[in-house]
Amino acid sequence: MVARVENEADIACMRAAGRAAAEVLEMIESHVVPGVTTEHLNQLCHDYIVDTLGCIPAPLNYRNSPQSPPYPKSICTSVNHVICHGIPTDRKPLKAGDIVNLDITVIKDGFHGDTSRTFCVGKVSPHAERLVRVAQECLYKGIEKVRPGAFLGDIGNAIETHAVKNHYSVVQEFCGHGTGRIFHDAPQVLHYGRAGTGMRLEEGMTFTIEPMINAGTRHLRILSDGWTVITRDRRLSAQWEHTLLVTGSGAEVLTLRRDESLG
Ligand code: MF3
Ligand code: CO
Ligand code: CO
């Protein structure tokens, strides 16, 4: 079954969960500076999620499958060639020139809000800045396709087309997903594919779009911690994610930040 809201009360809950997740990214922005550790960012986010927002950090102890090790932290911190699911650590402070994706998922009143963005740490190289910008554009190109009657493949195709036009590649092993009472629900939202194919979108569906865009090839490796996903060629990867509601005429971005205007 695909994730969908059943009534106005569900919609209000998804809005509240999405807003809470967005607020974490708004809060943390000023802390993403050279010298800070990803573990410190994890701690700040954890305390804000629990103490200020009264939410649950969904990643903590989350398992991808019954055999997978539980995720040990409250947020994901993916630096440079880490594609996604980077584990916060106190061993390696961020340095100027790094790019880092912070992925936040909160549970509020039983509903999930899932969002991420890539930050530039201090001044970064023009090629890193361009990758980060194009990855955000890929997310927006995907969101633009969302409306009742559109196909899931329209989203993937728009993202892939923009990435390829900019000589980047799209990660295929990880995708967006339905979300609501369940963190990772149907449908799978691929970030590549053909327009006019796949499931048709309907009003009330709730899902994420979260393209992972690589500077080099799309190929990846998972580290022995069972979580950290890196580019096989060790070149940079950037990701941006929003949780969306399909409305009567388009998309409502449930995790929109105050610093953000779409497109
Ligand atoms: N937030 C990630 C997503 O966008 C999933 C993280 S799972 C975790 O789907 F356990 F690593 F946190
Ligand atoms: Co997600
Ligand atoms: Co996420």
Side-chain angles (χ1 to χ4, degrees), residues 32-107:
V32 185
V33 292
V36 77
T37 65
T38 50
E39 172 54 27
H40 184 63
L41 298 176
N42 175 72
Q43 203 56 245
L44 290 171
C45 289
H46 177 92
D47 292 349
Y48 190 79
I49 290 166
V50 173
D51 300 334
T52 304
L53 298 173
C55 297
I56 297 167
L60 189 59
N61 296 316
Y62 181 77
R63 288 175 199 268
N64 264 336
S65 68
Q67 315 86 269
S68 90
Y71 188 78
K73 299 288 177 176
S74 295
I75 68 170
C76 298
T77 58
S78 302
V79 181
N80 294 336
H81 66 284
V82 179
I83 295 171
C84 63
H85 304 167
I87 300 173
T89 172
D90 53 18
R91 280 176 299 116
K92 223 168 152 272
L94 294 175
K95 51 189 193 315
D98 285 342
I99 63 172
V100 58
N101 174 280
L102 302 187
D103 195 334
I104 310 293
T105 312
V106 305
I107 309 172

Side-chain angles (χ1 to χ4, degrees), residues 137-147 150 155 158 209 244 250-251 262-263:
E137 289 167 358
C138 283
L139 170 59
Y140 290 162
K141 299 264 183 202
I143 293 172
E144 278 172 23
K145 295 292 176 190
V146 176
R147 59 170 178 78
I155 299 171
I209 303 178
L244 309 166
L262 273 198

Side-chain angles (χ1 to χ4, degrees), residues 114 177 208 210 241:
D114 187 8
H177 50 91
T208 73
E210 49 184 295
E241 174 177 25

Side-chain angles (χ1 to χ4, degrees), residues 145-181:
K145 295 292 176 190
V146 176
R147 59 170 178 78
F151 295 86
L152 273 182
D154 300 347
I155 299 171
N157 183 255
I159 291 166
E160 183 177 31
T161 299
H162 191 61
V164 168
K165 194 168 81 187
N166 285 280
H167 309 286
Y168 296 140
S169 65
V170 177
V171 170
Q172 297 193 351
E173 289 85 346
F174 296 88
C175 56
H177 50 91
T179 196
R181 289 190 181 275

